[in-house]
Amino acid sequence: MKFSTFKVLSDEEIVQIHAASIDILENAGVLIYSKKVLDLLDAKGAVVDYDKRLAKFPRKLVESCIKTVPKTFDLYDRYGNKAMTIGDGIPKCASGHNAIFIIDAETNERRNSTVKDVENFALISDKLEDIDIVGVPVMPQDVTPEASLIYAVKALYENTTKPIFFSTESSAVNAAVIKIMKAVAGKEDISECPSAISQLSSTSPLLWEEGAVDALVDVSMEGVPLNLLPEPIAGVSAPYSVAGLLTMHNAEVLSGVVISQLVRPGTPVIYGSSWTTYDMKYTNAIIGSPETSILRVAGCQMARYYNMPSHTTAPNSDANAHDEQNAWEKTISNMCAICAGNDVVMNSGMFATGLTISLEQLILDDEINGIIRRLHRGIDVNEKTIGAEVIKRVGPRGNFIIEDHTFEFLRSGEFREVKVSNTKNYDNWISAGAPSVVENASKKAKEILKAGNDKKLDNKIIEKMSDIIKEFEKGLGK
């Protein structure tokens, strides 16, 4: 059977958090800085105060909208082929997401990121077995700032065939990326073959900025999968208690669910989460704390209660180097994320509280993903795997090395083969130069980049994407 699913909330506690969230939405409401969305809510039964730009969500409205969210949806690759089903119980690991800096592989120094870094990150992500979705790793700093994400999405599509993941707070940027999705698909209606997930975030506490909520409407109208990601911070934009942080987060997710389903019932929505606590001593946000990992489990339980696919961030770390802290925080966060049953687990390649990426970290996180996914898969027990017949045939003091049963399972994935971990004994490790796992990861990254891109995108599509960026920049007066 599979590894037992992690749980941290009882059924009664889940209902209690749901009830508190409904109470907040019904009686406190949510500020919405978009008249278009306020008009929509007003027409559909919400209580709207236009002067305050405040919408209150009646219980029946919220609960009816929850029911129209699909439990699963399909995601497609760059060519329009079905790549995976989100919500099928198999965790998908994603690289990214939206950092600023990169640790340069040659100098080992932190520097501002470029479009070339996005290209390299995408190319490596495409070749890694335990990366299923490729997110925007960094916001490149060598292009027009307002168009940074659009350049990054173009770089992703050019260098990976895997589905992609992007996020922005700008409705104009979001619209440009949807145009790129259509250019890649070669069709206007992409609702039947979406190759990307759009992540949009409310502003805690209880506020939707105009750009984000208008983008939410656009995404829903197009039928593009939507990841709702509030990011309240304990003690800053949410109560300084784990349950209070969870409740604030849950209420904001539900507000986005209502808007999406009123625009287009059946819009694919993921219950997103990126848990952040706050170090009052040093006044900085933390994403690798034990409490954030507890919440990775709790958030998944809330998503299951609503029959929605779930997303969380991991493997996460606040460490600023590839060190022991990095390893334990990433392993704990990722184990909680995957073993809770989250459907999309995102942030491979990122560390330093989400500010920095490195190509080495991407390779290392791919290793962590594979190890924990193997753990999550558990033990397949049946007559063949038990192997009673071969055990009896070999008998006492026998040897299984040349048995057909051994050869049958040798390359079956029964035992996961590590990619960059050191498994040699001491003498063989010394003979190999005593490499660290970071050095092994660096070597593998360089090998992938040297091999180059063997899945180039059609030049006509690249030109269309470039034209979309030029049109966007022209609108900025650039």
Side-chain angles (χ1 to χ4, degrees):
M1 63 179 290
K2 290 176 65 175
F3 200 92
S4 295
T5 301
F6 286 4
K7 293 183 179 180
V8 72
L9 299 173
S10 68
D11 291 345
E12 293 77 13
E13 288 167 338
I14 292 171
V15 171
Q16 191 175 359
I17 289 164
H18 170 69
S21 302
I22 294 292
D23 180 41
I24 290 165
L25 292 173
E26 200 166 30
N27 295 300
V30 178
L31 286 171
I32 298 178
Y33 287 180
S34 167
K35 186 176 183 302
K36 175 173 66 177
V37 176
L38 288 174
D39 287 343
L40 170 70
L41 291 167
D42 189 25
K44 297 293 185 177
V47 179
V48 174
D49 185 327
Y50 283 94
D51 291 334
K52 294 181 179 178
R53 293 187 285 190
L54 183 72
K56 295 182 178 180
F57 299 71
R59 174 186 297 272
K60 288 184 179 179
L61 179 64
V62 178
E63 294 184 341
S64 66
C65 287
I66 290 170
K67 291 177 182 177
T68 63
V69 177
K71 189 174 182 179
T72 66
F73 65 88
D74 294 332
L75 200 57
Y76 294 75
D77 66 15
R78 189 178 74 184
Y79 302 119
N81 303 310
K82 179 182 171 181
M84 64 193 69
T85 298
I86 302 298
D88 63 358
I90 302 173
K92 311 302 187 298
C93 294
S95 59
H97 186 246
N98 281 19
I100 301 170
F101 306 106
I102 183 169
I103 300 295
D104 192 289
E106 300 301 326
T107 66
N108 205 34
E109 296 291 327
R110 192 180 82 162
R111 60 168 173 77
N112 287 336
S113 56
T114 66
V115 171
K116 183 63 177 175
D117 295 325
V118 179
E119 293 172 352
N120 289 343
F121 194 92
L123 182 57
I124 292 174
S125 294
D126 191 75
K127 304 299 182 184
L128 297 180
E129 181 181 349
D130 287 292
I131 299 295
D132 307 297
I133 301 168
V134 185
V136 172
V138 285
M139 302 295 280
Q141 308 295 301
D142 58 339
V143 293
T144 305
E146 297 89 340
S148 181
L149 179 79
I150 313 173
Y151 278 98
V153 168
K154 175 177 177 288
L156 293 189
Y157 273 123
E158 288 186 61
N159 290 278
T160 181
T161 63
K162 295 179 179 180
I164 71 168
F165 189 108
F166 68 94
S167 65
T168 178
E169 297 176 357
S170 164
S171 57
V173 170
N174 192 80
V177 174
I178 290 175
K179 287 181 181 179
I180 285 179
M181 289 178 65
K182 293 178 178 181
V184 171
K187 58 177 69 176
E188 278 297 307
D189 184 1
I190 51 176
S191 63
E192 296 299 320
C193 59
S195 60
I197 295 169
S198 174
Q199 177 179 289
L200 293 164
S201 300
S202 51
T203 301
S204 301
L206 302 171
L207 165 66
W208 278 99
E209 301 284 357
E210 183 178 23
V213 77
D214 283 349
L216 191 160
V217 171
D218 293 342
V219 167
S220 302
M221 288 178 66
E222 296 286 354
V224 172
L226 170 66
N227 189 63
L228 292 171
L229 189 77
E231 296 187 70
I233 301 173
V236 179
S237 53
Y240 194 61
S241 60
V242 177
L245 178 59
L246 175 59
T247 303
M248 173 67 75
H249 176 98
N250 193 65
E252 292 188 23
V253 169
L254 294 181
S255 73
V257 168
V258 170
I259 297 167
S260 70
Q261 300 307 301
L262 292 181
V263 171
R264 180 172 174 157
T267 294
V269 178
I270 303 174
Y271 185 111
S273 66
S274 181
W275 304 104
T276 308
T277 57
Y278 198 70
D279 187 328
M280 294 293 186
K281 184 176 180 180
Y282 294 106
T283 64
N284 58 269
I286 302 173
I287 62 174
S289 68
E291 294 76 19
T292 62
S293 287
I294 292 170
L295 286 161
R296 288 179 177 90
V297 179
C300 186
Q301 287 187 261
M302 296 307 301
R304 292 292 173 269
Y305 176 72
Y306 299 124
N307 288 315
M308 291 172 56
S310 58
H311 153 286
T312 196
T313 53
N316 273 8
S317 176
D318 298 299
N320 293 296
H322 305 122
D323 60 10
E324 291 83 356
Q325 177 190 340
N326 181 305
W328 76 59
E329 288 182 348
K330 279 180 167 287
T331 300
I332 292 170
S333 64
N334 211 24
M335 185 169 180
C336 287
I338 289 176
C339 291
N342 281 286
D343 297 293
V344 178
V345 181
M346 176 157 224
N347 269 8
S348 291
M350 178 181 283
F351 59 110
T353 319
L355 292 175
T356 306
I357 64 161
S358 77
L359 301 183
E360 292 86 356
Q361 190 67 65
L362 177 58
I363 301 287
L364 295 171
D365 289 349
D366 177 70
E367 186 88 291
I368 294 172
N369 293 342
I371 291 169
I372 296 176
R373 290 211 287 196
R374 176 62 191 93
L375 184 152
H376 179 253
R377 204 174 81 216
I379 300 175
D380 187 15
V381 179
N382 55 50
E383 184 176 345
K384 181 177 287 187
T385 59
I386 288 172
E389 293 303 317
V390 71
I391 293 171
K392 290 186 290 183
R393 185 171 63 254
V394 171
R397 299 197 68 178
N399 191 306
F400 291 83
I401 287 180
I402 62 171
E403 290 294 322
D404 289 343
H405 188 275
T406 299
F407 287 110
E408 181 179 353
F409 283 94
L410 188 62
R411 303 297 182 193
S412 69
E414 182 78 358
F415 293 86
R416 186 186 184 277
E417 183 179 354
V418 297
K419 309 297 175 58
V420 294
S421 298
N422 286 307
T423 56
K424 298 181 177 71
N425 64 34
Y426 183 80
D427 290 336
N428 289 334
W429 176 63
I430 291 294
S431 297
S436 69
V437 289
V438 178
E439 289 169 333
N440 288 342
S442 180
K443 179 181 178 182
K444 182 171 181 178
K446 290 174 181 176
E447 288 172 351
I448 293 173
L449 293 179
K450 185 177 180 180
N453 185 358
D454 58 354
K455 301 174 183 175
K456 292 186 181 297
L457 191 60
D458 185 274
N459 284 333
K460 291 182 179 179
I461 297 176
I462 294 174
E463 289 175 8
K464 287 181 181 178
M465 292 194 294
S466 295
D467 289 342
I468 290 167
I469 294 175
K470 288 177 184 176
E471 180 186 0
F472 179 86
E473 291 181 325
K474 185 178 179 182
L476 299 171
K478 300 292 183 180

